[in-house]
mmCIF file of all heavy atoms in Angstrom:
data_model
loop_
_atom_site.group_PDB
_atom_site.id
_atom_site.type_symbol
_atom_site.label_atom_id
_atom_site.label_comp_id
_atom_site.label_asym_id
_atom_site.label_seq_id
_atom_site.Cartn_x
_atom_site.Cartn_y
_atom_site.Cartn_z
ATOM 1 N N ARG B 200 -53.716 -22.724 8.636
ATOM 2 C CA ARG B 200 -54.971 -21.990 8.765
ATOM 3 C C ARG B 200 -54.749 -20.900 9.797
ATOM 4 O O ARG B 200 -54.423 -21.175 10.944
ATOM 5 C CB ARG B 200 -56.076 -22.947 9.226
ATOM 6 C CG ARG B 200 -57.439 -22.335 9.246
ATOM 7 C CD ARG B 200 -58.456 -23.394 9.601
ATOM 8 N NE ARG B 200 -58.192 -23.996 10.898
ATOM 9 C CZ ARG B 200 -58.510 -23.442 12.045
ATOM 10 N NH1 ARG B 200 -59.113 -22.276 12.059
ATOM 11 N NH2 ARG B 200 -58.250 -24.046 13.187
ATOM 12 N N LEU B 201 -54.894 -19.656 9.364
ATOM 13 C CA LEU B 201 -54.549 -18.565 10.274
ATOM 14 C C LEU B 201 -55.752 -17.967 10.978
ATOM 15 O O LEU B 201 -55.609 -17.152 11.865
ATOM 16 C CB LEU B 201 -53.818 -17.459 9.495
ATOM 17 C CG LEU B 201 -52.451 -17.868 8.931
ATOM 18 C CD1 LEU B 201 -51.905 -16.783 8.048
ATOM 19 C CD2 LEU B 201 -51.490 -18.164 10.059
ATOM 20 N N GLY B 202 -56.910 -18.338 10.561
ATOM 21 C CA GLY B 202 -58.090 -17.795 11.206
ATOM 22 C C GLY B 202 -58.384 -16.400 10.708
ATOM 23 O O GLY B 202 -57.825 -15.940 9.723
ATOM 24 N N PRO B 203 -59.286 -15.675 11.393
ATOM 25 C CA PRO B 203 -59.682 -14.349 10.944
ATOM 26 C C PRO B 203 -58.485 -13.407 10.810
ATOM 27 O O PRO B 203 -57.538 -13.493 11.578
ATOM 28 C CB PRO B 203 -60.610 -13.877 12.062
ATOM 29 C CG PRO B 203 -61.065 -15.109 12.741
ATOM 30 C CD PRO B 203 -59.949 -16.088 12.612
ATOM 31 N N GLN B 204 -58.539 -12.548 9.811
ATOM 32 C CA GLN B 204 -57.399 -11.680 9.518
ATOM 33 C C GLN B 204 -57.572 -10.267 10.080
ATOM 34 O O GLN B 204 -56.643 -9.499 10.099
ATOM 35 C CB GLN B 204 -57.216 -11.565 8.002
ATOM 36 C CG GLN B 204 -57.075 -12.913 7.318
ATOM 37 C CD GLN B 204 -55.779 -13.593 7.672
ATOM 38 O OE1 GLN B 204 -54.727 -12.977 7.588
ATOM 39 N NE2 GLN B 204 -55.844 -14.832 8.105
ATOM 40 N N ALA B 205 -58.769 -9.947 10.475
ATOM 41 C CA ALA B 205 -59.040 -8.547 10.820
ATOM 42 C C ALA B 205 -58.344 -8.114 12.107
ATOM 43 O O ALA B 205 -58.139 -8.918 13.004
ATOM 44 C CB ALA B 205 -60.536 -8.350 10.977
ATOM 45 N N GLY B 206 -57.980 -6.840 12.134
ATOM 46 C CA GLY B 206 -57.421 -6.146 13.298
ATOM 47 C C GLY B 206 -56.625 -7.010 14.243
ATOM 48 O O GLY B 206 -57.160 -7.515 15.210
ATOM 49 N N SER B 207 -55.358 -7.207 13.979
ATOM 50 C CA SER B 207 -54.603 -8.125 14.801
ATOM 51 C C SER B 207 -53.273 -7.517 15.220
ATOM 52 O O SER B 207 -52.282 -7.626 14.544
ATOM 53 C CB SER B 207 -54.369 -9.421 14.056
ATOM 54 O OG SER B 207 -54.469 -9.236 12.683
ATOM 55 N N PRO B 208 -53.268 -6.853 16.348
ATOM 56 C CA PRO B 208 -52.070 -6.179 16.800
ATOM 57 C C PRO B 208 -51.001 -7.142 17.277
ATOM 58 O O PRO B 208 -51.296 -8.268 17.648
ATOM 59 C CB PRO B 208 -52.581 -5.343 17.976
ATOM 60 C CG PRO B 208 -53.762 -6.096 18.479
ATOM 61 C CD PRO B 208 -54.373 -6.740 17.287
ATOM 62 N N THR B 209 -49.773 -6.685 17.294
ATOM 63 C CA THR B 209 -48.684 -7.469 17.868
ATOM 64 C C THR B 209 -48.934 -7.574 19.367
ATOM 65 O O THR B 209 -49.309 -6.599 20.003
ATOM 66 C CB THR B 209 -47.355 -6.729 17.646
ATOM 67 O OG1 THR B 209 -47.222 -6.502 16.259
ATOM 68 C CG2 THR B 209 -46.192 -7.515 18.172
ATOM 69 N N PRO B 210 -48.733 -8.737 19.958
ATOM 70 C CA PRO B 210 -48.978 -8.843 21.391
ATOM 71 C C PRO B 210 -48.030 -7.938 22.178
ATOM 72 O O PRO B 210 -46.846 -7.859 21.860
ATOM 73 C CB PRO B 210 -48.712 -10.316 21.693
ATOM 74 C CG PRO B 210 -47.900 -10.813 20.545
ATOM 75 C CD PRO B 210 -48.281 -9.980 19.379
ATOM 76 N N ALA B 211 -48.569 -7.276 23.173
ATOM 77 C CA ALA B 211 -47.744 -6.377 23.964
ATOM 78 C C ALA B 211 -46.585 -7.136 24.576
ATOM 79 O O ALA B 211 -46.742 -8.231 25.095
ATOM 80 C CB ALA B 211 -48.593 -5.759 25.058
ATOM 81 N N GLY B 212 -45.417 -6.550 24.507
ATOM 82 C CA GLY B 212 -44.276 -7.181 25.140
ATOM 83 C C GLY B 212 -43.504 -8.108 24.232
ATOM 84 O O GLY B 212 -42.412 -8.527 24.572
ATOM 85 N N GLY B 213 -44.062 -8.422 23.073
ATOM 86 C CA GLY B 213 -43.325 -9.224 22.101
ATOM 87 C C GLY B 213 -43.252 -10.682 22.482
ATOM 88 O O GLY B 213 -44.134 -11.220 23.147
ATOM 89 N N ALA B 214 -42.161 -11.322 22.090
ATOM 90 C CA ALA B 214 -42.035 -12.773 22.208
ATOM 91 C C ALA B 214 -42.219 -13.243 23.636
ATOM 92 O O ALA B 214 -41.686 -12.676 24.577
ATOM 93 C CB ALA B 214 -40.670 -13.208 21.705
ATOM 94 N N GLY B 215 -42.979 -14.281 23.750
ATOM 95 C CA GLY B 215 -43.122 -14.906 25.051
ATOM 96 C C GLY B 215 -44.037 -14.171 25.990
ATOM 97 O O GLY B 215 -44.219 -14.580 27.117
ATOM 98 N N ALA B 216 -44.602 -13.082 25.514
ATOM 99 C CA ALA B 216 -45.409 -12.284 26.429
ATOM 100 C C ALA B 216 -46.890 -12.546 26.282
ATOM 101 O O ALA B 216 -47.700 -11.877 26.879
ATOM 102 C CB ALA B 216 -45.132 -10.796 26.200
ATOM 103 N N GLY B 217 -47.227 -13.494 25.439
ATOM 104 C CA GLY B 217 -48.637 -13.780 25.241
ATOM 105 C C GLY B 217 -49.314 -14.187 26.530
ATOM 106 O O GLY B 217 -50.453 -13.837 26.791
ATOM 107 N N GLY B 218 -48.585 -14.938 27.336
ATOM 108 C CA GLY B 218 -49.116 -15.328 28.630
ATOM 109 C C GLY B 218 -50.273 -16.290 28.560
ATOM 110 O O GLY B 218 -50.993 -16.484 29.523
ATOM 111 N N GLU B 219 -50.471 -16.902 27.410
ATOM 112 C CA GLU B 219 -51.585 -17.834 27.276
ATOM 113 C C GLU B 219 -51.043 -19.241 27.230
ATOM 114 O O GLU B 219 -50.066 -19.523 26.559
ATOM 115 C CB GLU B 219 -52.368 -17.541 25.994
ATOM 116 C CG GLU B 219 -53.094 -16.230 26.053
ATOM 117 C CD GLU B 219 -53.769 -15.932 24.727
ATOM 118 O OE1 GLU B 219 -54.427 -16.826 24.194
ATOM 119 O OE2 GLU B 219 -53.611 -14.808 24.247
ATOM 120 N N HIS B 220 -51.690 -20.110 27.953
ATOM 121 C CA HIS B 220 -51.273 -21.499 27.960
ATOM 122 C C HIS B 220 -52.290 -22.264 27.134
ATOM 123 O O HIS B 220 -53.436 -22.417 27.530
ATOM 124 C CB HIS B 220 -51.255 -22.018 29.397
ATOM 125 C CG HIS B 220 -50.420 -23.231 29.544
ATOM 126 N ND1 HIS B 220 -50.727 -24.406 28.930
ATOM 127 C CD2 HIS B 220 -49.280 -23.452 30.231
ATOM 128 C CE1 HIS B 220 -49.812 -25.309 29.244
ATOM 129 N NE2 HIS B 220 -48.922 -24.750 30.022
ATOM 130 N N PRO B 221 -51.876 -22.705 25.925
ATOM 131 C CA PRO B 221 -52.866 -23.279 25.027
ATOM 132 C C PRO B 221 -53.272 -24.703 25.368
ATOM 133 O O PRO B 221 -54.136 -25.264 24.734
ATOM 134 C CB PRO B 221 -52.159 -23.240 23.675
ATOM 135 C CG PRO B 221 -50.716 -23.340 24.004
ATOM 136 C CD PRO B 221 -50.539 -22.679 25.327
ATOM 137 N N VAL B 222 -52.651 -25.285 26.352
ATOM 138 C CA VAL B 222 -52.896 -26.692 26.627
ATOM 139 C C VAL B 222 -53.390 -26.875 28.058
ATOM 140 O O VAL B 222 -52.882 -26.247 28.986
ATOM 141 C CB VAL B 222 -51.592 -27.500 26.429
ATOM 142 C CG1 VAL B 222 -51.849 -28.970 26.707
ATOM 143 C CG2 VAL B 222 -51.065 -27.314 25.033
ATOM 144 N N ASP B 223 -54.365 -27.732 28.216
ATOM 145 C CA ASP B 223 -54.848 -28.058 29.553
ATOM 146 C C ASP B 223 -53.690 -28.590 30.382
ATOM 147 O O ASP B 223 -52.983 -29.504 29.971
ATOM 148 C CB ASP B 223 -55.943 -29.125 29.429
ATOM 149 C CG ASP B 223 -56.595 -29.400 30.754
ATOM 150 O OD1 ASP B 223 -55.937 -30.045 31.598
ATOM 151 O OD2 ASP B 223 -57.735 -28.962 30.959
ATOM 152 N N PRO B 224 -53.439 -27.988 31.539
ATOM 153 C CA PRO B 224 -52.271 -28.395 32.325
ATOM 154 C C PRO B 224 -52.347 -29.828 32.840
ATOM 155 O O PRO B 224 -51.353 -30.374 33.301
ATOM 156 C CB PRO B 224 -52.261 -27.391 33.471
ATOM 157 C CG PRO B 224 -53.634 -26.832 33.524
ATOM 158 C CD PRO B 224 -54.196 -26.909 32.151
ATOM 159 N N GLY B 225 -53.500 -30.436 32.753
ATOM 160 C CA GLY B 225 -53.631 -31.794 33.279
ATOM 161 C C GLY B 225 -53.183 -32.880 32.336
ATOM 162 O O GLY B 225 -53.215 -34.052 32.683
ATOM 163 N N VAL B 226 -52.785 -32.526 31.136
ATOM 164 C CA VAL B 226 -52.403 -33.567 30.179
ATOM 165 C C VAL B 226 -50.940 -33.439 29.783
ATOM 166 O O VAL B 226 -50.379 -32.348 29.782
ATOM 167 C CB VAL B 226 -53.262 -33.514 28.889
ATOM 168 C CG1 VAL B 226 -54.708 -33.824 29.174
ATOM 169 C CG2 VAL B 226 -53.124 -32.174 28.214
ATOM 170 N N ASP B 227 -50.355 -34.577 29.454
ATOM 171 C CA ASP B 227 -49.005 -34.562 28.878
ATOM 172 C C ASP B 227 -49.115 -34.054 27.452
ATOM 173 O O ASP B 227 -50.108 -34.329 26.771
ATOM 174 C CB ASP B 227 -48.430 -35.975 28.845
ATOM 175 C CG ASP B 227 -48.171 -36.513 30.238
ATOM 176 O OD1 ASP B 227 -48.145 -35.708 31.185
ATOM 177 O OD2 ASP B 227 -47.991 -37.740 30.372
ATOM 178 N N CYS B 228 -48.110 -33.350 27.004
ATOM 179 C CA CYS B 228 -48.214 -32.768 25.671
ATOM 180 C C CYS B 228 -46.878 -32.748 24.951
ATOM 181 O O CYS B 228 -45.872 -32.316 25.504
ATOM 182 C CB CYS B 228 -48.769 -31.347 25.796
ATOM 183 S SG CYS B 228 -49.015 -30.572 24.225
ATOM 184 N N LEU B 229 -46.915 -33.227 23.735
ATOM 185 C CA LEU B 229 -45.738 -33.137 22.876
ATOM 186 C C LEU B 229 -46.070 -32.214 21.709
ATOM 187 O O LEU B 229 -47.012 -32.470 20.948
ATOM 188 C CB LEU B 229 -45.365 -34.531 22.327
ATOM 189 C CG LEU B 229 -44.281 -34.554 21.250
ATOM 190 C CD1 LEU B 229 -42.935 -34.084 21.813
ATOM 191 C CD2 LEU B 229 -44.138 -35.939 20.636
ATOM 192 N N PHE B 230 -45.319 -31.118 21.587
ATOM 193 C CA PHE B 230 -45.423 -30.262 20.407
ATOM 194 C C PHE B 230 -44.327 -30.685 19.430
ATOM 195 O O PHE B 230 -43.165 -30.798 19.843
ATOM 196 C CB PHE B 230 -45.159 -28.794 20.766
ATOM 197 C CG PHE B 230 -46.301 -28.084 21.420
ATOM 198 C CD1 PHE B 230 -46.423 -28.055 22.804
ATOM 199 C CD2 PHE B 230 -47.244 -27.403 20.662
ATOM 200 C CE1 PHE B 230 -47.465 -27.381 23.414
ATOM 201 C CE2 PHE B 230 -48.287 -26.720 21.264
ATOM 202 C CZ PHE B 230 -48.401 -26.703 22.647
ATOM 203 N N ILE B 231 -44.681 -30.884 18.191
ATOM 204 C CA ILE B 231 -43.667 -31.085 17.157
ATOM 205 C C ILE B 231 -43.847 -29.958 16.148
ATOM 206 O O ILE B 231 -44.935 -29.765 15.590
ATOM 207 C CB ILE B 231 -43.812 -32.461 16.477
ATOM 208 C CG1 ILE B 231 -43.574 -33.561 17.518
ATOM 209 C CG2 ILE B 231 -42.820 -32.602 15.328
ATOM 210 C CD1 ILE B 231 -43.655 -34.973 16.975
ATOM 211 N N LEU B 232 -42.777 -29.199 15.957
ATOM 212 C CA LEU B 232 -42.876 -27.970 15.163
ATOM 213 C C LEU B 232 -41.857 -27.984 14.034
ATOM 214 O O LEU B 232 -40.650 -28.114 14.282
ATOM 215 C CB LEU B 232 -42.639 -26.755 16.070
ATOM 216 C CG LEU B 232 -43.613 -26.668 17.259
ATOM 217 C CD1 LEU B 232 -43.016 -25.851 18.393
ATOM 218 C CD2 LEU B 232 -44.944 -26.086 16.814
#
Side-chain angles (χ1 to χ4, degrees):
Chain B
R200 186 175 59 80
L201 295 173
Q204 305 291 311
S207 22
T209 304
E219 292 176 47
H220 200 296
V222 180
D223 186 287
V226 295
D227 293 344
C228 183
L229 171 65
F230 282 91
I231 297 181
L232 302 156

